[in-house]
Amino acid sequence: MRVSGALEGWNDGAARRAIVEFVERTVSDAVPVEERVAGFDNDGTLWCEKPMPIQLDFILRRLVEMAEAKPDLRDRQPWKAAYERDYGWLGALMAEHYAGDDSNVKILAAGILAAYEGISVEDFEAKSDAFLRTVQHPTLGRGYLECAYAPMVELLGYLEANGFSNYIASGGGRDFMRPISREVYGIPRERVIGSASALEYTSGDRGGTITHKAEADYLDDGPQKPIRIWSRTGRRPLLAAGNSNGDIAMLEFTHHQDKPFRPLLILHDDGEREFDYTSGAEQALEQAGTNGWTVVSMKNDWATVF
Amino acid sequence: MRVSGALEGWNDGAARRAIVEFVERTVSDAVPVEERVAGFDNDGTLWCEKPMPIQLDFILRRLVEMAEAKPDLRDRQPWKAAYERDYGWLGALMAEHYAGDDSNVKILAAGILAAYEGISVEDFEAKSDAFLRTVQHPTLGRGYLECAYAPMVELLGYLEANGFSNYIASGGGRDFMRPISREVYGIPRERVIGSASALEYTSGDRGGTITHKAEADYLDDGPQKPIRIWSRTGRRPLLAAGNSNGDIAMLEFTHHQDKPFRPLLILHDDGEREFDYTSGAEQALEQAGTNGWTVVSMKNDWATVF
């Protein structure tokens, strides 16, 4: 058995070598194909998450729509911030979150869940699909669908060519990513794991309808990531990639006693080609150092970003 | 494109013809392969569920173990019934359930959830695997793993040969079925949907551990079946098969405006080769009549059962 594919978008260096070595060992050890499972965070790992997560832009536009239709919402958060384009409120909220204060995060979450209450899963998907195909990233001069990182897309292909099944395990919305996951990442919709609204089934003689409820089913972040990967696949992944503290548990979960495994942590250190930040990744970087996880420097390890 | 495979375990009749017609139309209409999703209930649809669901036997043995270890449990339900082999209590409970009284069902459910509290997912799987491979069905004179219905296994293969992805969507436990699903049904573990305990992740430098909590994540029955199929696949299945009222929503959910679809309801009418009962399937049979679902008579439509 030979290793297939190349990683041309990656510079020669420790990260690229660690990945190739891992895949070569998986192939030469003849790890059964069904055990070759890999899990990828999405925002900040497979595509850009700055200046704000792409899905947040999608939701804010919906909150504006709601505030336009119902003026009394304009005085209530999060509609007020969305309607007034008050990015200060949103920015402060993230800083508060990292400082351990989630009171405004909860207000935003309630707004997010209310934003699509009652929509059918098919209509939600059509909205997400239309948004992702038409909206431009605010600063990078490219459409959102072109904000996927080329070296990561190449890595997905390289893994797949070597028998891996790639899964997205995102804190973002599962049903938000599904309409574009195959086109952008080569990952079919049944392999998209992500946060989900609780759903409701309404019987009907033309097939019944599934709609979004204004509550979360689960938030696929932190310890929920390994739980949701297990629930979906029944496997402990051999490779996982993330970029933030919310990915620590998933990266740790790749550890195997008797098989090759590889946790990857993407470091956003390329302010020229993308963004330069470690906020929200401090503990992940510390654990990477302690546990020998592979840190991927966007600046040094990637020949190209997009 | 030609239809592949045969259904030799099926007698020529309306059920077999409806299945073949459906598959032929799916192929001749060139329905994209990724949309060819089929969902199957397990207990009573793919394998035997009488005199009690196979997993209930597994759980009762665990309750007996617990009562042996802790004598004070012997006075409490459901341990008391398990310890005393009091099948009357269990039988009455099912009758109460169908009559709309779930008070004892809740007592049983609490016992079931407590039975494996704290066990790791790997250990749980090893126990389920060992049980299923060694225990005999109480009356059929065959091991539990030989209790799968041969015509249904053949149908799974026929669908797969024609581009379908088969999923199990069972009211029974997802993690109970996973270790044997590929061997028995050709269905890989990531396509097993079923009821699940809530899980907990505990961090650890050797990879972290996922353990069962004494609470349900969800019960995959009734309206949860279409919801969980959607959550897992992002698709409305084209074919679904069930045998009880708990499958009505899933069967209904197959309805498509513009594509072939086929709901199948297995009728247990073969007291000689299997069991003869319609209890718990009354509304499903009624809906099958009203909505043109295909009723599969085990007695008349199957040349063989096992």
Side-chain angles (χ1 to χ4, degrees), chain B residues 110-298:
Chain B
I112 290 174
L113 291 164
Y116 287 102
E117 182 177 7
I119 196 172
S120 74
V121 288
E122 287 90 352
D123 288 349
F124 180 84
E125 180 162 317
K127 279 187 190 291
S128 156
D129 188 71
F131 168 82
L132 285 167
R133 284 177 202 287
T134 53
V135 178
Q136 291 283 113
H137 186 279
T139 64
L140 291 172
R142 52 179 61 243
Y144 274 142
L145 282 199
E146 287 84 50
C147 288
Y149 304 132
M152 293 305 284
V153 172
E154 201 186 7
L155 173 59
L156 293 169
Y158 175 63
L159 290 169
E160 198 184 334
N162 288 289
F164 279 81
S165 295
N166 298 317
Y167 287 80
I168 292 176
S170 172
R174 176 191 69 208
D175 294 356
F176 178 71
M177 290 172 281
R178 274 183 164 162
I180 55 82
S181 64
R182 183 183 277 283
E183 186 177 328
V184 176
Y185 302 126
I187 294 180
R189 57 179 52 214
E190 66 271 17
R191 293 199 191 138
V192 177
I193 306 169
S195 298
S197 301
L199 300 174
E200 184 161 40
Y201 181 76
T202 307
S203 183
D205 58 6
R206 314 211 62 176
T209 312
I210 296 179
T211 50
H212 285 226
K213 294 168 79 171
E215 58 188 86
D217 188 0
Y218 54 87
L219 180 64
D220 187 33
D221 198 36
Q224 278 294 313
K225 289 203 176 194
I227 288 176
R228 294 297 152 185
I229 291 173
W230 175 269
S231 298
R232 187 71 71 83
T233 68
R235 306 272 179 198
R236 190 182 281 262
L238 299 179
L239 178 143
N243 75 303
S244 80
N245 298 337
D247 300 313
I248 290 174
M250 174 175 72
L251 296 174
E252 180 185 74
F253 189 56
T254 58
H255 189 103
H256 283 73
Q257 310 271 6
D258 53 352
K259 291 191 191 82
F261 66 96
R262 185 47 45 202
L264 302 176
L265 186 69
I266 310 298
L267 175 66
H268 291 267
D269 58 356
D270 193 333
E272 285 202 12
R273 297 186 299 179
E274 204 241 8
F275 299 94
D276 187 349
Y277 61 100
T278 53
S279 162
E282 298 86 348
Q283 291 102 297
L285 284 162
E286 200 182 301
Q287 290 230 11
T290 316
N291 300 324
W293 300 347
T294 297
V295 176
V296 177
S297 156
M298 292 179 69

Side-chain angles (χ1 to χ4, degrees), chain A residues 6 32 71 104 115 201 207 209 236:
Chain A
N104 279 324
Y201 181 76
T209 312
R236 190 182 281 264

